[in-house]
């Protein structure tokens, strides 16, 4: 099967992020996430049991980690590997163009 990560983006912007699972296997999930101005609610921190490798493909975004003083400003091509239980939040995402992410969620061996 062949598909395109940028397909079906024409109906944007929308009120909520769009999560599309591209591949799922035991201990692994690959998603496309499309953000159009969404951010984490005030005071909310992600605290995920899985690791997450994330690549920003289009748009811009700002992420914040609880253990850092400054936001990380992301542009296309920037990627991060977020360790399990490392608290983080999305501070801002661009609307035009949409922020398009490729997220690889994984469970480390032995977990």
């Amino acid at each position: 099967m062949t598909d395109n990560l940028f397909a079906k983006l024409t109906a944007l912007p929308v009120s909520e992020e769009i999560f599309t699972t591209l591949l799922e296997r035991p201990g692994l999930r690959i998603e496309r996430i499309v953000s159009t101005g969404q951010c984490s609610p005030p005071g909310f921190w992600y605290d995920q049991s899985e690791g997450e490798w994330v690549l920003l493909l289009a748009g811009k975004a700002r992420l914040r980690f609880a253990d850092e003083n400054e936001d990380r400003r992301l542009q296309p091509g920037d990627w991060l590997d977020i360790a399990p239980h490392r608290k983080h939040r999305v501070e801002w995402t661009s609307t035009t163009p949409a922020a398009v992410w490729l997220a690889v969620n994984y469970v480390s061996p032995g977990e």
Side-chain angles (χ1 to χ4, degrees):
M1 179 175 105
T2 302
D3 209 339
N4 187 294
L5 284 170
F6 298 103
K8 302 175 188 157
L9 297 178
T10 56
L12 300 174
V14 295
S15 60
E16 295 187 21
E17 287 181 304
I18 299 172
F19 291 80
T20 305
T21 299
L22 305 172
L23 178 71
E24 192 162 12
R25 299 289 185 268
L28 176 72
R29 185 177 69 258
I30 301 174
E31 297 175 308
R32 177 185 74 177
I33 305 168
V34 180
S35 307
T36 53
Q38 293 84 7
C39 60
S40 300
F44 174 83
W45 294 91
Y46 287 100
D47 185 1
Q48 302 167 178
S49 59
E50 303 172 312
E52 182 178 21
W53 182 88
V54 65
L55 165 66
L56 187 63
L57 298 168
K60 295 183 180 181
R62 289 195 329 259
L63 266 58
R64 166 64 67 85
F65 289 91
D67 61 352
E68 295 181 359
N69 294 327
E70 301 284 328
D71 293 351
R72 292 196 188 191
R73 297 175 185 272
L74 304 178
Q75 59 187 4
D78 289 343
W79 60 270
L80 298 164
D81 187 21
I82 305 170
H85 298 291
R86 186 166 184 208
K87 291 183 179 179
H88 62 286
R89 53 181 285 110
V90 178
E91 293 289 338
W92 175 85
T93 59
S94 60
T95 56
T96 306
V100 180
W101 311 81
L102 182 65
V104 179
N105 297 278
Y106 60 91
V107 176
S108 298
E111 289 185 14

